[in-house]
């Protein structure tokens, strides 16, 4: 077996590449930091002509542990479950990675570009995916504006 010498810097190439990608993509705000740290959940927000749709991935969270509230043009999703019933004195952790043990509740507040009727918000939870349908107010819907054509005056 031949001895292969490597440059000591080569061992850090993957880390350097990850940092470069992170710096190029930018740090978009506190939501991204929380997502990267595992302290929140990912959401997609979509708009159709009649409604806004919010999809949130809440794997491992029971539907009864999900709370949705609205205020103004925002929707807040709070999700979480109680920390385990296990007495912390009877165990020694060899590895402790699950976030819910440290912070049992996580949440996201989404600000929508238009107003909506809070009475027309519907939420469905299926297989770890929360889908919220938010009907737009008539004022928020796109309306066509007719263009009048002005005839040039005859001379």
């Amino acid at each position: 077996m031949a001895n292969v010498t490597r440059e000591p810097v080569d061992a850090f190439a993957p880390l350097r590449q990850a940092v470069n990608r992170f710096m190029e993509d930018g740090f978009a705000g506190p939501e991204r930091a929380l997502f990267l740290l595992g302290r929140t959940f990912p959401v997609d927000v979509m708009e159709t002509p009649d409604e806004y749709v919010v999809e949130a991935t809440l794997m491992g969270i029971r539907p009864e542990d999900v709370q949705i509230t609205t205020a103004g043009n925002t929707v807040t999703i709070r999700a979480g479950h109680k920390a385990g019933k296990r007495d912390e004195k009877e165990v020694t952790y060899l590895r402790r990675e699950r976030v819910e043990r440290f912070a049992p509740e996580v949440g996201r507040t989404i600000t929508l570009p238009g107003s909506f009727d809070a009475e027309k918000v519907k939420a469905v939870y299926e297989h770890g995916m929360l889908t919220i349908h938010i009907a737009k107010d008539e004022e928020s819907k796109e309306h066509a504006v007719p263009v009048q054509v002005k005839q040039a005056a005859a001379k």
Side-chain angles (χ1 to χ4, degrees):
M1 180 183 232
N3 240 351
V4 178
T5 58
R6 291 175 41 180
E7 292 291 322
V9 178
D10 286 348
F12 296 105
L15 176 61
R16 189 173 46 251
Q17 290 169 352
V19 170
N20 287 342
R21 275 194 312 273
F22 179 75
M23 297 305 270
E24 287 170 6
D25 292 344
F27 194 73
E31 289 91 10
R32 180 162 178 177
L34 291 172
F35 181 68
L36 292 173
L37 295 172
R39 301 294 297 241
T40 190
F41 47 87
V43 297
D44 291 333
V45 181
M46 297 156 281
E47 181 178 13
T48 69
D50 297 323
E51 69 178 354
Y52 301 106
V53 179
V54 177
E55 292 180 344
T57 304
L58 303 173
M59 298 305 289
I61 296 177
R62 297 178 307 198
E64 57 268 20
D65 293 330
V66 177
Q67 179 185 14
I68 303 165
T69 57
T70 62
N73 65 334
T74 65
V75 175
T76 300
I77 305 166
R78 292 224 171 277
H81 36 97
K82 307 294 182 226
K85 304 264 189 228
R86 177 177 301 165
D87 183 11
E88 295 293 324
K89 293 177 184 170
E90 72 181 50
V91 299
T92 301
Y93 283 95
L94 301 177
R95 182 176 293 220
R96 192 172 186 175
E97 296 177 349
R98 295 188 307 158
V99 174
E100 67 271 9
R101 293 208 179 264
F102 304 113
E105 186 178 75
V106 292
R108 296 286 299 264
T109 298
I110 297 113
T111 302
L112 299 170
S115 59
F116 58 90
D117 183 357
E119 299 297 320
K120 295 182 180 176
V121 176
K122 295 189 180 0
V124 177
Y125 186 86
E126 183 178 23
H127 302 295
M129 177 66 74
L130 175 68
T131 304
I132 306 171
H133 295 273
I134 305 160
K136 292 181 180 179
D137 275 350
E138 283 302 315
E139 301 140 7
S140 296
K141 291 183 181 179
E142 188 175 298
H143 296 283
V145 177
V147 176
Q148 296 178 354
V149 178
K150 198 170 189 179
Q151 296 295 329
K155 291 186 183 184

